[in-house]
Amino acid sequence: MKVVAVINQKGGVGKTTTTTNLCHALAEVGYKVTAIDFDPQGQLAISLGIITQDIGGIDEVMLAKKTVLQQVIRVRHNLALVPAGPRLKDIEQLLAAGQPKGMVLKTALGSYFADQDFVFIDCPGGTAQRHGVKNRLRKLFCRSGFCLYRLPAIIRIFNC
Ligand SMILES: Nc1ncnc2c1ncn2[C@@H]1O[C@H](COP(=O)(O)OP(=O)(O)OP(=O)(O)O)[C@@H](O)[C@H]1O
Ligand SMILES: [Mg+2]
């Protein structure tokens, strides 16, 4: 199982678009993929066809109200989604003081997705520095500009 966090300090540089397309393509060729919408805007869910915004998701998992498997939505063959949930935007206030939300997410995910080939995390802007995302994750930096520039990094990650 490979976990890929799609990150960048900036907003609007194609993180969600990249996540959506890579998840779709990998599922299409037969990999089992779970996509986690870790951005309170909830646009990854919308991109995958889930337009209801008031359903709980990874927010309730991080708050220990639900297990992550309870929050999984099958969106198409081989592709599952964990939506953001309405409380993700307030998660820093809702968690105990000093808990980096990256670490809370890691603990909450545990080994639930061991049967998946890929878990993608679509992050909000600024995730790497602010939330303790460390080296054990594969990090895919999206940049504005000429997208083919990032192809070697993408190929390295998916050369499994
Ligand atoms: N390769 C691309 N070429 C042209 N437009 C693109 C490309 N990738 C994304 N876009 C467009 O750029 C806009 C921002 O994309 P996207 O929402 O994926 O960025 P984001 O980094 O996830 O933004 P946010 O930080 O707000 O979550 C969207 O309108 C999207 O359709
Ligand atoms: Mg986005």
Side-chain angles (χ1 to χ4, degrees), residues 22-142:
L22 286 176
C23 287
H24 176 85
L26 288 165
E28 186 77 15
V29 296
Y31 290 107
K32 292 193 175 87
V33 183
T34 297
I36 299 175
D37 194 347
F38 202 49
D39 185 340
Q41 294 180 103
Q43 288 173 345
L44 179 65
I46 294 169
S47 297
L48 292 172
I50 307 298
I51 55 169
T52 313
Q53 288 291 291
D54 53 1
I55 48 172
I58 199 68
D59 58 345
E60 293 179 348
V61 179
M62 293 176 72
L63 294 168
K65 307 282 184 206
K66 296 273 176 68
T67 69
V68 70
L69 284 186
Q70 289 175 293
Q71 305 302 78
V72 165
I73 300 170
R74 300 274 151 206
V75 290
R76 61 195 68 157
H77 184 58
N78 285 338
L79 179 52
L81 166 76
V82 180
R87 288 196 281 179
L88 190 61
K89 66 180 183 328
D90 303 318
I91 204 80
E92 275 149 359
Q93 287 73 45
L94 295 169
L95 290 173
Q99 280 187 291
K101 69 178 188 179
M103 293 310 295
V104 175
L105 177 66
K106 180 170 180 268
T107 306
L109 295 184
S111 56
Y112 278 117
F113 294 123
D115 67 328
Q116 297 291 288
D117 297 307
F118 291 97
V119 174
F120 275 76
I121 305 173
D122 180 34
C123 298
T127 300
Q129 276 71 16
R130 284 197 291 115
H131 306 310
V133 176
K134 300 275 192 220
N135 291 336
R136 297 185 63 163
L137 280 176
R138 289 167 177 83
K139 289 175 276 185
L140 179 55
F141 286 89
C142 286

Side-chain angles (χ1 to χ4, degrees), residues 6 8-21 39 41 43 47 122-126 142 145 147:
V6 183
N8 194 285
Q9 281 294 92
K10 283 174 70 178
V13 291
K15 297 180 294 296
T16 301
T17 306
T18 302
T19 308
T20 303
N21 285 295
D39 185 340
Q41 294 180 103
Q43 288 173 345
S47 297
D122 180 34
C123 298
C142 286
C147 294

